[in-house]
Amino acid sequence: MKNILLILILLCASTTIYAQNQSQNSLSLDGEWSFIIDSTAQGINKNWHKELPAAATQVKVPHTWNTNDATADYAGLAWYQKKISIPDNWENKTIRIQFEAVYHDATVYVNGQEVGKNLNAGYTPFSFDITDYLKTNQSNTLVVAVDNSYSDKNLPYLKAFDWTNDGGIIRSVALETSGKYTIRYVHVKPELNLRDSTGTVKVEVKLFGKNNKTLNFNFSYKDKQSGKSIATEKIEIEPVNGIYTTNFDLGEISPWHFDAPNLYELETSITAKDEVSDTDLAVFGFKKVEIKGEKLYLNGEAVRLPGIEYMPGSNPKYGIAEPKSYMDSIVRSMKELNVVITRFHWQQDDYMISLMDKYGILVQEELPWWQKPASLTPELVKTAKKQLTDNIESHYNHPSIFSWGISNEINGSTDDTQYRNLRDYVKDLDATRFVTIVSNRIWQKKQDDPMLLGDMATWNEYIGTWHGNDRNELPGKLDTVKRAIGNQPLLITENGLCEPAMTGGDARRIDDMIFHIKEWSSHPWIMGYIYFSLNDYRTQMGEEGFGKYKIRRHGITDISLNRKPSFSVLKQLASPINITKVQRETDTSAAIALEVKASIPSYTLRGYILEYKNSERKLITIELPDLAPGDTYDTILENINPQFQFKVLRPTGFIVAQY
């Protein structure tokens, strides 16, 4: 993330327009672009890479054409164009164009010249140095050719994926400028000492291009919430294998936790000849996630966690090009549900993961390799490694991420080599997080399931729907799974009811939800679950609806996040608190009792508060003591309101229970 100030510069579509909220070294290209579908692939022959034809229409980037009724099912080539003008003070600077994601093939042209391709990687960021292609003091033509054709060279593979095939410039675009030395990434490796809550960091900086020169760096650490400066460091660093490395002791820190999402900032700048060449702002946090025996530990505490998965791109209004405000509503809905863990089948917008950091939700982010192919070709291995590299490099600092997933429900291959190689490849990129291989057949494959090659046992448990004859087989299947995984915990990574493939509606969804969560909770070695899913979702393989409304009805909300009755049921099941007593004591007081669950969920409550309005409508706040799983809390609410209404809130303000 580049340091942002304010200037007014930007060109839109085919005329020069100046935009607001830009910085001296970053210029957003979001907004109006020209756009045209190219179903016959005639663009190159007709020189569209130099200038789009007059038939092009205006769209707003981020954009996908698959939310347009006329092109809802279109998979193929399309073109985008924007006229851009370079600020005078950017002369003699390095200028890069940064795409947060283009699905899934992109070829970029500046003034009719190809500057680069990004192929078979539709959900990860990429950039090109376009300095030598630009003209100063005049308009420049930026053209992007985009292709979302189903492909056997891409992941997701052909039509073997259960989500939308939305094509386009689906995430933000910007120009970024720097001096001679340009930062590619700053990775912060926090180390939390649980004995005294102190923290140290190892910082690794990599530049674009090859550089073996010793450089001067300035590092400034801040508490993100308060903005308070913690430490600064000026240091000269000699690179080792192209990486500039330093270590720093930050002293006593506040760990990151889903109930206390404490964040820190590191601003890094490179100086050359007494001028700043480039800056970077990294947000990070301190946490420790471990598996010991049959338990999952977060910051030294054994926990059992409830979760849910969200399927992006499902609202037909936005498709996969979701605006930031909509992403915020998604994550807030998840927190309102009392869930604290999630997963994504494919790589997400950096802003979405930042929201997980901010609100406090643990994340497993995955390579989009779902069910097929059973074995990766050498070309697909390269695709997988490129996507893993781009994703981990860009999302490395997010404290919410605790695991990288390399596959989901792959069946048919008996060759474990591909899993071992990708697992080890990820470990080389990031040794600080788990690597998982998500399974849905552990109950059949047992000790032969490749899931066991990962760091964490997982199971997409659909006994009674997709698998098995009846849900009452679940206890026996869990016994089989336990024997297969041995002395380690299990995370249920999926369970839910998919309509119209399954019948029964939301009433059955609720009944099944209660049955399965009750059964999982009765096994202490099951460390949590991720229910599937938050929303009915758009998918190119949907059995219901047409065009942009083709969906699977699998959610506790609909495609527009309107809540079904099952939403409230899951919220109660995922709450860490049961209200066990509400009893009138006198005409003006009530006795209440709370019990902290010791099943799923199971974790210590710290900093929680109880609120109610008394008979004069004055807000009364009671700070609860720290409460461990199984603890109870009794109190008298004085001068209670006539309706006996009260609620219990997390330290972050989200309601966990109310009466």
Side-chain angles (χ1 to χ4, degrees):
M1 184 185 297
K2 302 298 182 180
N3 187 28
I4 296 184
L5 302 170
L6 294 178
I7 59 174
L8 301 175
I9 302 173
L10 186 63
L11 296 176
C12 290
S14 56
T15 53
T16 303
I17 303 174
Y18 291 96
Q20 299 178 347
N21 298 326
Q22 306 307 319
S23 81
Q24 288 184 344
N25 60 357
S26 182
L27 183 66
S28 173
L29 300 183
D30 289 355
E32 296 290 333
W33 287 61
S34 298
F35 170 77
I36 191 168
I37 291 288
D38 187 7
S39 59
T40 58
Q42 61 181 320
I44 286 291
N45 290 335
K46 294 195 173 183
N47 292 321
W48 289 5
H49 59 294
K50 296 180 179 180
E51 186 80 29
L52 294 193
T57 59
Q58 299 302 301
V59 298
K60 286 189 176 181
V61 167
H63 172 262
T64 173
W65 59 77
N66 295 101
T67 55
N68 185 311
D69 289 335
T71 53
D73 294 318
Y74 179 67
L77 185 63
W79 296 76
Y80 292 83
Q81 176 181 295
K82 192 175 189 69
K83 300 288 187 177
I84 59 175
S85 203
I86 305 305
D88 293 340
N89 60 354
W90 282 17
E91 281 195 88
N92 302 317
K93 296 283 189 178
T94 298
I95 302 173
R96 300 190 69 86
I97 186 166
Q98 173 76 27
F99 293 88
E100 292 305 312
V102 177
Y103 189 81
H104 55 78
D105 288 355
T107 305
V108 180
Y109 304 87
V110 175
N111 295 324
Q113 298 183 71
E114 181 182 318
V115 299
K117 295 178 183 288
N118 190 69
L119 307 180
N120 305 315
Y123 303 121
T124 52
F126 62 96
S127 69
F128 300 118
D129 185 337
I130 61 173
T131 310
D132 295 338
Y133 300 88
L134 293 168
K135 304 169 185 176
T136 57
N137 302 316
Q138 58 183 292
S139 179
N140 294 268
T141 303
L142 170 64
V143 174
V144 185
V146 181
D147 196 335
N148 72 329
S149 300
Y150 296 100
S151 171
D152 61 0
K153 299 178 178 60
N154 185 45
L155 293 174
Y157 177 80
L158 292 175
K159 290 190 175 183
F161 59 100
D162 188 18
W163 55 90
T164 177
N165 188 51
D166 287 358
I169 303 178
I170 61 172
R171 296 178 189 159
S172 289
V173 192
L175 295 182
E176 296 182 347
T177 185
S178 64
K180 180 179 179 180
Y181 304 104
T182 305
I183 296 173
R184 177 169 169 173
Y185 65 72
V186 176
H187 284 172
V188 184
K189 298 184 178 183
E191 186 67 31
L192 171 63
N193 188 329
L194 293 172
R195 293 189 301 274
D196 57 9
S197 289
T198 57
T200 59
V201 293
K202 180 180 181 181
V203 180
E204 295 182 348
V205 183
K206 186 172 183 179
L207 309 183
F208 282 103
K210 294 182 179 179
N211 197 299
N212 295 313
K213 185 177 181 179
T214 299
L215 295 174
N216 294 309
F217 289 84
N218 294 334
F219 298 101
S220 177
Y221 299 89
K222 291 183 179 180
D223 181 294
K224 181 171 173 58
Q225 280 80 356
S226 68
K228 181 181 177 182
S229 177
I230 299 173
T232 58
E233 180 185 26
K234 294 184 179 181
I235 185 173
E236 188 178 71
I237 306 176
E238 181 182 359
V240 177
N241 297 323
I243 305 293
Y244 295 84
T245 304
T246 186
N247 297 277
F248 203 84
D249 186 345
L250 292 182
E252 187 173 352
I253 53 88
S254 299
W256 187 95
H257 185 277
F258 51 77
D259 272 341
N262 299 297
L263 299 172
Y264 294 85
E265 291 180 342
L266 170 60
E267 184 177 61
T268 302
S269 61
I270 304 173
T271 57
K273 296 181 180 180
D274 298 323
E275 291 187 357
V276 175
S277 181
D278 201 10
T279 62
D280 178 273
L281 186 64
V283 177
F284 65 98
F286 293 86
K287 76 174 187 304
K288 181 169 286 189
V289 181
E290 305 169 284
I291 289 176
K292 294 188 287 188
E294 295 182 343
K295 300 291 184 182
L296 176 72
Y297 289 81
L298 175 61
N299 299 337
E301 176 194 0
V303 295
R304 302 178 73 192
L305 305 177
I308 199 164
E309 182 172 348
Y310 167 65
M311 293 293 282
S314 295
N315 190 322
K317 182 178 180 180
Y318 309 119
I320 203 68
E322 293 175 344
K324 290 180 171 58
S325 59
Y326 192 72
M327 293 184 209
D328 191 85
S329 68
I330 295 298
V331 183
R332 292 188 64 87
S333 293
M334 294 170 77
K335 289 298 291 189
E336 288 177 32
L337 264 174
N338 284 315
V339 299
V340 296
I341 187 171
T342 192
R343 62 186 287 227
F344 288 104
H345 285 352
W346 66 94
Q347 308 93 333
Q348 295 303 300
D349 191 305
D350 190 75
Y351 184 78
M352 174 66 87
I353 307 299
S354 296
L355 291 172
M356 301 292 174
D357 298 340
K358 172 184 175 180
Y359 289 118
I361 298 179
L362 289 160
V363 175
Q364 174 170 296
E365 197 173 15
E366 300 171 10
L367 181 74
W369 179 21
W370 182 76
Q371 292 198 353
K372 294 181 181 179
S375 297
L376 297 179
T377 63
E379 188 172 19
L380 280 173
V381 170
K382 291 180 181 178
T383 294
K385 288 183 175 181
K386 170 182 168 49
Q387 291 192 20
L388 288 166
T389 300
D390 293 346
N391 189 41
I392 294 172
E393 183 176 298
S394 59
H395 288 177
Y396 187 95
N397 294 324
H398 290 288
S400 57
I401 296 178
F402 77 102
S403 174
W404 304 113
I406 61 174
S407 65
N408 183 30
E409 299 184 355
I410 306 301
N411 296 300
S413 173
T414 58
D415 180 13
D416 288 344
T417 304
Q418 61 184 347
Y419 302 109
R420 296 178 190 274
N421 288 344
L422 287 179
R423 176 199 64 191
D424 294 346
Y425 184 79
V426 172
K427 286 293 188 183
D428 286 341
L429 294 172
D430 181 8
T432 68
R433 293 179 171 95
F434 297 149
V435 180
T436 55
I437 302 163
V438 177
S439 170
N440 66 344
R441 297 283 183 175
I442 178 66
W443 57 282
Q444 289 178 325
K445 295 184 177 181
K446 303 172 186 177
Q447 287 86 355
D448 294 328
D449 197 306
M451 174 269 288
L452 296 171
L453 298 172
D455 296 321
M456 183 171 62
T458 60
W459 183 23
N460 291 351
E461 189 270 282
Y462 285 106
I463 301 301
T465 52
W466 295 115
H467 297 149
N469 298 311
D470 185 88
R471 71 183 189 182
N472 292 307
E473 297 176 358
L474 180 56
K477 294 288 194 289
L478 283 169
D479 290 341
T480 299
V481 170
K482 178 57 179 165
R483 288 191 294 271
I485 68 175
N487 185 38
Q488 62 175 312
L490 175 72
L491 177 64
I492 303 295
T493 37
E494 274 187 44
N495 175 270
L497 183 72
C498 178
E499 304 172 73
M502 312 297 168
T503 59
D506 207 49
R508 180 182 175 184
R509 179 174 290 105
I510 291 170
D511 186 57
D512 273 4
M513 177 192 296
I514 294 170
F515 175 87
H516 285 265
I517 291 176
K518 181 180 179 181
E519 184 63 34
W520 303 331
S521 297
S522 69
H523 298 271
W525 49 274
I526 296 182
M527 61 183 175
Y529 62 84
I530 301 175
Y531 191 78
F532 189 82
S533 64
L534 176 65
N535 55 327
D536 297 340
Y537 60 96
R538 290 176 62 236
T539 168
Q540 55 87 24
M541 63 186 302
E543 301 97 340
E544 179 178 330
F546 301 97
K548 65 181 181 181
Y549 298 102
K550 188 183 294 183
I551 68 165
R552 280 188 156 178
R553 200 171 292 278
H554 217 309
I556 58 174
T557 72
D558 66 14
I559 53 177
S560 300
L561 294 186
N562 297 306
R563 297 172 181 182
K564 306 176 187 178
S566 52
F567 185 99
S568 296
V569 175
L570 184 59
K571 176 181 174 67
Q572 183 176 354
L573 291 170
S575 170
I577 287 177
N578 282 324
I579 300 171
T580 56
K581 181 175 75 172
V582 179
Q583 179 178 308
R584 186 173 62 191
E585 290 288 290
T586 69
D587 287 343
T588 60
S589 65
I592 70 165
L594 309 175
E595 179 186 45
V596 181
K597 293 180 183 177
S599 53
I600 304 176
S602 175
Y603 52 84
T604 300
L605 278 54
R606 300 179 179 88
Y608 281 56
I609 62 173
L610 185 150
E611 284 185 353
Y612 71 99
K613 287 185 177 179
N614 64 15
S615 59
E616 287 83 36
R617 307 301 295 168
K618 180 182 177 181
L619 183 66
I620 306 299
T621 299
I622 299 173
E623 296 182 2
L624 302 183
D626 290 354
L627 297 168
D631 284 353
T632 58
Y633 176 79
D634 298 83
T635 192
I636 303 293
L637 304 184
E638 301 290 352
N639 195 19
I640 185 69
N641 59 75
Q643 293 178 299
F644 282 24
Q645 294 175 342
F646 65 89
K647 54 190 175 184
V648 181
L649 293 85
R650 296 182 186 272
T652 51
F654 289 93
I655 299 170
V656 297
Q658 58 186 337
Y659 183 87

